[in-house]
Amino acid sequence: MGMTTPPRTLAEALRARDDESLAGLLRARPDLLSPVPNDITQLATRAGTRASVVRALEHLDRFALQTAEALAVAPDPAPYDTLLGLLTGDGRDDGELRGDAGAAIVDALPGALTTLREQALVWGEDERLHLVRTARELLAPSPQHPSPTGLGPTVSEATAGMSPGRLQEILTAAGLPATYDPVSAVSALSALFTDRVRMGELLDTAPVEALSVLDRLVWGPPYGEVTPNPTPPVKWLRDRGLLLPVSTRTVVLPREAALHLRAGRAHRVPEPLPPVVAAAAERDPQAVDSAAAGQAFLSVSTVEELLKSWNGGGPAILRAGGLSVRELKKTATVLDVSEPVAAFWIELAYAAGLLASDGETDERYAPTPAYDDWTELPAEDRWVRLATAWLAATRTPGLVGGQDAKGRALSTLGPGLDRSAAPEIRHRVLALLDALAPGTAPDPETLLARLRWERPLRGASTSAGDTTDLRSRIALWTLNECELLGITGRGALASQTRALLTAGPAAAAARLAPLIPEPLDHVLLQADLTAVAPGPLERPLADMLAALADIESKGGATVYRFTPGSVRRALDAGQSAADLHAFLAAHSRTPVPQPLSYLIDDVARRHGHLRIGAASSYVRCDDEAVLNEILADKRSATLRLRRLAPTALAAQIDPVSLLDGLRELGYAPAAESADGDVLITRAGARRTPPRSAPEPVPEGPPLPEPALLGAAVRAIRAGDTAATVVHKDTGPAAPGDALPRTTSAETLVTVQAAAMTGSAIWIGYVNAEGAASQRVIAPVRVEGGYVTAYDHTADEVRTYPLHRITGVAELADDQTA
């Protein structure tokens, strides 16, 4: 669509866009689609609301934001050359950015303006650039919200409310002719501060100490405290208006004077170009892939070991949700890692849907049925599932141990760990790593600098005294988690990860498969009751060995130790001594040591000699001497046993506690059923009901699909056509005539135009009691369905709901309020 005249409002500027441009706006700011606007006017109104503008500003890079900040302190509207001068300087040798820096700004500014226009934060032609009013209010300087540029208010704003006599004193001290009109006095002072020659002559007469005061204020903050009797340098500045009073003890350097001292620049260091991510080390790409593959296999094994340890039912869930500190320490000991690393593995298993609450009254964590399906997959597919879940997860394990906004501790698997920006930061970190040459490890500081440049307003600190923004902390955690998970190897991005990011999970699994070591079908038995696994084991062998022996050490080779307790555990699972002998003989490359055979036979001979059942519980044994020995042992007093028969004892505790108690005394009892059969304890019997993986907490509305964008643009166009169609020519309106009715779209456009131009309009209004009236108002602000305006009829500022305005018309040139 073309335009023959410059747009007067944002709505008119949006109406002039083509469909592709409107779709681009809705894609960049998806919050504008919820719900779909009725017409262009409603779209423009929604794009100017505070929440939407804040969200849009947060997604700007540093130079686009600096461009918006410069427009916020420039006149409205601002020509392109004025904006360029605020970024590069006014041409003075001591302040203009020259050479590569100035050229970079000249080259980057059109792109920054394009970004701001596409996101409806700036509208108008280059000769009349308008920053959206809400953005100007957010970025312009004020005592409550200092400007990011470090500039203070204008002379006109700082002198509002100043007495005419004081203004005359300032003019006289500055060498300006006196005037009895406060408006012309303010204009004369502003003209002095913006005149390069006259301002230079004035500063040439300033004391050296006064110039030192200005140097401290020029780049912000522009406010300073003064005593009732200021020093001569401060008094000299205050008398000439270079420092204007804000309160009895506070003065401010006006914007015009600060810009002269800055040589016209709004920012001390404009940043038109993104920082380059530097290389910390160059490594062999094959070595990187191998290291990452080894860590990927270890990550799969660690998650499997974690969930195996919770097979029979994991730790209890705290009342407030999550895992207790004691249980986290216990899990860290089992995994032989630090507590923060243990929290990461637990959260990863939860994000992948392998771990959940069992939903029982005594709620505990346990593996889900999906865990059993996961264990049947090849190692490369298991890793891909973990990596994919990690990329999309919004839960942030690095926050564990900290506090929320209310001072409550953040626990593993507990509430308060979701950070909606985490997936975007992870993907951005990996994208920056992917842009480096294969085998290149990045310098973390330059990586963080790049992320801060891309989103300077994101990631505010979450705790008092924290000097590192949340976005940078998540990025550092991402780098550490990449190493733990095998996303990177020795700091560089692995080729299997590049395949995951570009070609998908199947390509990543295919790339990783040849790098993972083949599982072994044997171990090496030692005479000291240990077994050495020289590499990863096949699943049946690993499962059986985990039941028969305890893991003593991990690494390239895993060492298992056989103990009476571990052998008894295998017997409890239904194995016999003959089964264990056959298993070891079949899977050992070395002969079965005699001490190990004796250990198995000895434990098997005693296993099940005692039988535990439910009375509350009882002990049964054919050997009376064994029962006599138990009763005579003083350590059995806590079991509260009494003899029922020569071969049976009764206890007042439950069978499980009785089993554990007798095992601590050195016996090997077995549980039995009501029919007298031995109960076999099988690992992995406890599972939660089917559970889906937790849904990530989205950061704002989801990105709309192309089909939705097309439909939304067509609906907005159709609604705009219906709202702006002219039904009849009403002719010029005048006070005293019947005010014509206007549509809501026409009303909003006219009121917004009047607010932008500062002109008065004539409205018809129906109040809450139904009384109709006609008024002449000068709109000041239009937001949230209300117009705030100076009512010439009532001679006061009032706020009117837009839906109660029945008609609106512009005043003719010869009409007055």
Side-chain angles (χ1 to χ4, degrees):
M1 296 175 62
M3 292 192 64
T4 57
T5 59
R8 298 181 303 164
T9 64
L10 175 61
E12 290 185 5
L14 294 179
R15 192 170 286 114
R17 292 190 179 191
D18 56 25
D19 290 353
E20 183 179 352
S21 179
L22 278 182
L25 169 62
L26 298 176
R27 187 184 303 108
R29 298 175 62 177
D31 57 293
L32 302 180
L33 266 178
S34 182
V36 175
N38 294 329
D39 49 40
I40 295 289
T41 301
Q42 191 175 91
L43 175 63
T45 302
R46 193 176 297 171
T49 58
R50 185 181 183 88
S52 182
V53 170
V54 168
R55 184 183 297 275
L57 291 175
E58 287 181 343
H59 285 79
L60 295 178
D61 62 52
R62 189 176 298 279
F63 187 63
L65 183 62
Q66 287 181 330
T67 302
E69 291 166 355
L71 281 173
V73 298
D76 185 34
Y80 183 89
D81 291 340
T82 299
L83 173 61
L84 181 61
L86 285 169
L87 293 170
T88 60
D90 58 14
R92 275 178 279 164
D93 292 341
D94 60 341
E96 185 180 18
L97 293 176
R98 299 183 179 276
D100 293 341
I105 293 175
V106 172
D107 293 340
L109 184 56
L113 275 177
T114 299
T115 298
L116 294 173
R117 282 193 175 108
E118 288 175 349
Q119 300 204 23
L121 295 172
V122 169
W123 57 277
E125 304 298 327
D126 283 354
E127 294 76 17
R128 295 177 60 84
L129 294 171
H130 296 269
L131 183 67
V132 171
R133 180 188 296 269
T134 307
R136 179 175 292 274
E137 293 172 354
L138 290 169
L139 299 176
S142 69
Q144 295 77 22
H145 304 286
S147 169
T149 61
L151 292 169
T154 62
V155 171
S156 177
E157 294 167 345
T159 57
M162 183 177 290
S163 67
R166 176 64 183 134
L167 283 173
Q168 298 307 314
E169 293 175 0
I170 293 176
L171 292 183
T172 302
L176 298 174
T179 173
Y180 294 100
D181 179 13
V183 175
S184 60
V186 170
S187 299
L189 192 59
S190 299
L192 171 63
F193 291 161
T194 54
D195 189 312
R196 184 189 309 175
V197 176
R198 290 194 295 157
M199 186 64 170
E201 294 173 350
L202 176 63
L203 292 176
D204 288 341
T205 64
V208 176
E209 295 83 358
L211 296 178
S212 299
V213 173
L214 293 178
D215 288 341
R216 291 197 295 270
L217 300 177
V218 63
W219 289 107
Y223 297 92
E225 291 189 5
V226 296
T227 60
N229 296 315
T231 60
V234 174
K235 187 175 185 303
W236 189 95
L237 295 170
R238 193 178 64 175
D239 289 344
R240 287 155 181 79
L242 291 169
L243 293 180
L244 294 173
V246 176
S247 65
T248 56
R249 296 182 61 87
T250 306
V251 293
V252 65
L253 176 65
R255 186 186 308 171
E256 294 87 345
L259 284 173
H260 174 86
L261 295 170
R262 296 181 178 192
R265 285 190 285 125
H267 299 87
R268 174 177 285 183
V269 183
E271 299 181 59
L273 299 177
V276 176
V277 179
E282 299 287 344
R283 312 195 189 280
D284 179 20
Q286 291 184 350
V288 168
D289 291 349
S290 298
Q295 192 61 35
F297 185 81
L298 181 60
S299 68
V300 171
S301 301
T302 303
V303 171
E304 189 173 349
E305 182 181 357
L306 165 69
L307 296 178
K308 276 184 179 179
S309 68
W310 291 4
N311 252 340
I317 301 177
L318 296 174
R319 181 177 300 177
L323 207 63
S324 68
V325 175
R326 182 178 62 182
E327 293 293 349
L328 179 60
K329 289 181 179 179
K330 185 186 299 183
T331 303
T333 301
V334 170
L335 300 180
D336 194 22
V337 296
S338 64
E339 292 172 30
V341 174
F344 167 71
W345 293 122
I346 294 171
E347 287 286 350
L348 179 61
Y350 177 68
L354 309 178
L355 172 68
S357 163
D358 60 9
E360 301 293 335
T361 303
D362 181 20
E363 201 171 15
R364 292 180 174 273
Y365 291 109
T368 64
Y371 165 67
D372 297 314
D373 298 333
W374 179 77
T375 56
E376 298 300 323
L377 297 174
E380 59 271 17
D381 291 328
R382 282 183 278 161
W383 177 81
V384 166
R385 179 165 173 181
L386 293 179
T388 305
W390 172 77
L391 279 171
T394 55
R395 293 186 63 82
T396 312
L399 296 171
V400 171
Q403 293 183 338
D404 62 11
K406 297 183 179 179
R408 295 173 297 196
L410 296 172
S411 60
T412 309
L413 297 179
L417 293 185
D418 282 291
R419 295 295 181 271
S420 56
E424 185 264 336
I425 296 173
R426 292 193 191 107
H427 280 88
R428 192 63 199 129
V429 168
L430 294 184
L432 292 175
L433 295 181
D434 190 28
L436 299 175
T440 303
D443 173 43
E445 288 303 321
T446 59
L447 180 68
L448 295 182
R450 176 63 173 266
L451 291 174
R452 295 190 192 104
W453 185 91
E454 292 178 347
R455 296 289 186 271
L457 290 184
R458 302 303 302 275
S461 176
T462 56
S463 60
D466 185 8
T467 57
T468 305
D469 62 271
L470 179 61
R471 188 176 180 84
S472 296
R473 292 164 63 200
I474 294 178
L476 290 175
W477 292 332
T478 297
L479 292 176
N480 294 332
E481 292 167 1
C482 282
E483 282 293 306
L484 287 173
L485 193 52
I487 296 289
T488 57
R490 303 178 65 188
L493 196 67
S495 62
Q496 52 266 27
T497 307
R498 296 179 191 270
L500 178 64
L501 297 175
T502 57
R511 186 71 183 82
L512 178 62
L515 302 175
I516 292 181
E518 288 292 331
L520 303 176
D521 62 352
H522 65 274
V523 295
L524 305 175
L525 296 178
Q526 309 291 316
D528 60 349
L529 297 180
T530 61
V532 177
L537 300 177
E538 292 181 347
R539 176 160 304 282
L541 174 58
D543 292 342
M544 185 61 191
L545 201 57
L548 181 57
D550 299 323
I551 296 178
E552 189 168 79
S553 66
K554 303 174 186 176
T558 305
V559 178
Y560 295 85
R561 178 164 294 279
F562 299 95
T563 66
S566 67
V567 173
R568 187 195 66 240
R569 186 170 63 237
L571 296 173
D572 286 343
Q575 301 294 324
S576 66
D579 295 334
L580 299 182
H581 287 304
F583 168 78
L584 294 175
H587 293 91
S588 176
R589 289 291 177 89
T590 58
V592 179
Q594 194 175 53
L596 180 55
S597 298
Y598 287 167
L599 174 64
I600 294 174
D601 291 337
D602 182 59
V603 174
R605 185 167 49 253
R606 294 183 293 114
H607 183 264
H609 197 51
L610 296 178
R611 299 294 183 88
I612 305 297
S616 288
S617 58
Y618 62 84
V619 182
R620 182 171 64 83
C621 182
D622 295 334
D623 190 344
E624 298 182 26
V626 174
L627 297 184
N628 293 334
E629 180 183 344
I630 293 174
L631 289 174
D633 194 330
K634 293 181 179 180
R635 295 175 297 171
S636 67
T638 57
L639 304 180
R640 302 166 69 184
L641 298 169
R642 62 186 180 87
R643 188 183 292 275
L644 293 179
T647 59
L649 301 178
Q652 298 182 29
I653 58 177
D654 61 275
V656 174
S657 300
L658 184 55
L659 275 168
D660 293 339
L662 289 177
R663 286 170 179 170
E664 289 177 2
L665 296 180
Y667 298 94
E672 72 175 9
S673 66
D675 298 328
D677 298 325
V678 174
L679 293 176
I680 296 175
T681 304
R682 298 191 182 276
R686 184 162 185 175
R687 292 290 181 267
T688 70
R691 296 276 194 265
S692 58
E695 289 291 333
V697 177
E699 185 183 21
L703 292 177
E705 297 292 335
L708 174 60
L709 283 177
V713 169
R714 289 193 297 272
I716 293 172
R717 291 288 191 201
D720 196 57
T721 300
T724 56
V725 65
V726 177
H727 299 286
K728 62 179 180 178
D729 185 8
T730 58
D737 298 338
L739 186 68
R741 288 186 175 273
T742 56
T743 65
S744 59
E746 294 170 331
T747 299
L748 185 57
V749 169
T750 305
V751 171
Q752 285 181 328
M756 296 297 297
T757 60
S759 58
I761 56 175
W762 181 36
I763 67 170
Y765 181 72
V766 178
N767 63 16
E769 288 75 28
S773 61
Q774 298 178 8
R775 302 173 179 274
V776 176
I777 64 172
V780 176
R781 176 181 298 175
V782 183
E783 187 173 26
Y786 292 85
V787 53
T788 302
Y790 177 75
D791 191 328
H792 290 268
T793 308
D795 194 23
E796 63 180 1
V797 176
R798 290 185 175 181
T799 299
Y800 298 98
L802 286 172
H803 68 275
R804 292 190 178 277
I805 297 178
T806 60
V808 61
E810 298 180 359
L811 293 175
D813 293 338
D814 58 346
Q815 295 172 351
T816 62

